[in-house]
């Protein structure tokens, strides 16, 4: 079964939010999953595994603890979503020739879109590599040095980022539909279920709980409430007018 990129992006956004990512990082995650799926890579599987590893973990423990020449996380493996956001924020540094070594790292495949966006933002050609796999972004094209490289690497000790002058490799072609693995879709859907409003037991169907027991009015109930409020205001004004009319003394000539 194939999915449109919009469908993958929507599911990835809900799943990332359900796994505890803030809305900003959830948006970044769904865009990264969409980009990798459009490249024909297992982006949905990578995101599903990343969310499973970091389920409800604080984002501060998943990214680099110090922005020096070597990046590492206090919580174990660096998360590509949190690390990628930091990488984009420092796009000007990479264009100026700065290099960085990151690791240990989970699913470096998901870091590629962030490298691409940083390169496009500054126009500087960048290269990202791990375990014999090198991907470059230059002149608006993404090139894979070795088509048989280990792209579905779930964990690697080091990832390298630097500027590059090379222009060799296979240029990636964009796809408009993808076929994510069924187990990846199942995991993402389970995380996405956490974002849905659930009906409380013993309460009417229109009273639902979302997040910290927030209750919301349906459109029908809101209209009924607004109509009753308008009638109550009219009745009060009529009562005040009637009382004023009866209490005012009548003067005769």
């Amino acid at each position: 079964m194939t999915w449109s990129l919009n469908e993958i992006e929507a599911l990835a956004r809900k799943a990332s939010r359900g796994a505890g990512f803030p809305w900003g990082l959830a948006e970044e995650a769904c865009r990264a999953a969409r980009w990798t799926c459009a490249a024909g890579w297992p982006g949905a599987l990578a995101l599903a595994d990343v969310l499973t590893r970091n389920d409800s973990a604080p984002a501060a423990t998943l990214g680099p603890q110090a922005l020096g020449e070597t990046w590492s996380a206090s919580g174990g493996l660096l998360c590509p979503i949190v690390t990628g956001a930091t990488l984009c924020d420092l796009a000007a540094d990479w264009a100026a020739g700065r290099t960085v070594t990151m690791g240990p790292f989970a699913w470096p495949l998901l870091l590629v879109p962030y490298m691409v966006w940083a390169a496009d933002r500054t126009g500087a050609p960048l290269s990202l590599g791990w375990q014999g796999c090198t991907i470059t972004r230059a002149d608006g094209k993404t090139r894979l040095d070795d088509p048989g490289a280990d792209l579905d690497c779930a964990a690697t000790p080091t990832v390298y980022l630097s500027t590059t002058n090379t222009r060799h490799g296979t240029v990636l072609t964009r796809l408009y539909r993808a076929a994510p693995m069924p187990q990846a879709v199942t995991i993402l859907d389970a995380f996405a279920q956490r974002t849905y409003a659930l009906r409380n037991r013993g309460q009417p169907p229109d009273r639902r709980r979302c997040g910290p027991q927030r209750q919301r009015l349906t459109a029908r109930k809101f209209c009924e409430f607004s109509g009753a409020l308008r009638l109550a205001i009219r009745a009060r004004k009529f009562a005040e007018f009637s009382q004023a009319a009866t209490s005012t003394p009548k003067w005769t000539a």
Side-chain angles (χ1 to χ4, degrees), residues 127-196:
S127 175
L128 188 72
W130 69 89
Q131 293 186 4
C133 176
T134 303
I135 300 173
T136 59
R137 178 70 174 185
D139 305 326
K141 296 180 180 179
T142 305
R143 294 176 171 86
L144 178 61
D145 188 39
D146 182 8
D150 186 15
L151 293 174
D152 57 350
C153 175
T156 182
T158 53
V159 177
Y160 307 96
L161 175 70
S162 64
T163 57
T164 182
N165 294 321
T166 61
R167 299 291 190 278
H168 59 81
T170 304
V171 178
L172 296 183
T173 57
R174 174 186 171 87
L175 303 178
Y176 293 92
R177 296 191 69 84
M181 300 178 65
Q183 55 266 40
V185 174
T186 301
I187 295 173
L188 292 177
D189 186 63
F191 280 113
Q193 292 285 340
R194 299 180 182 179
T195 66
Y196 300 150

Side-chain angles (χ1 to χ4, degrees), residues 15 90 184:
L90 300 176

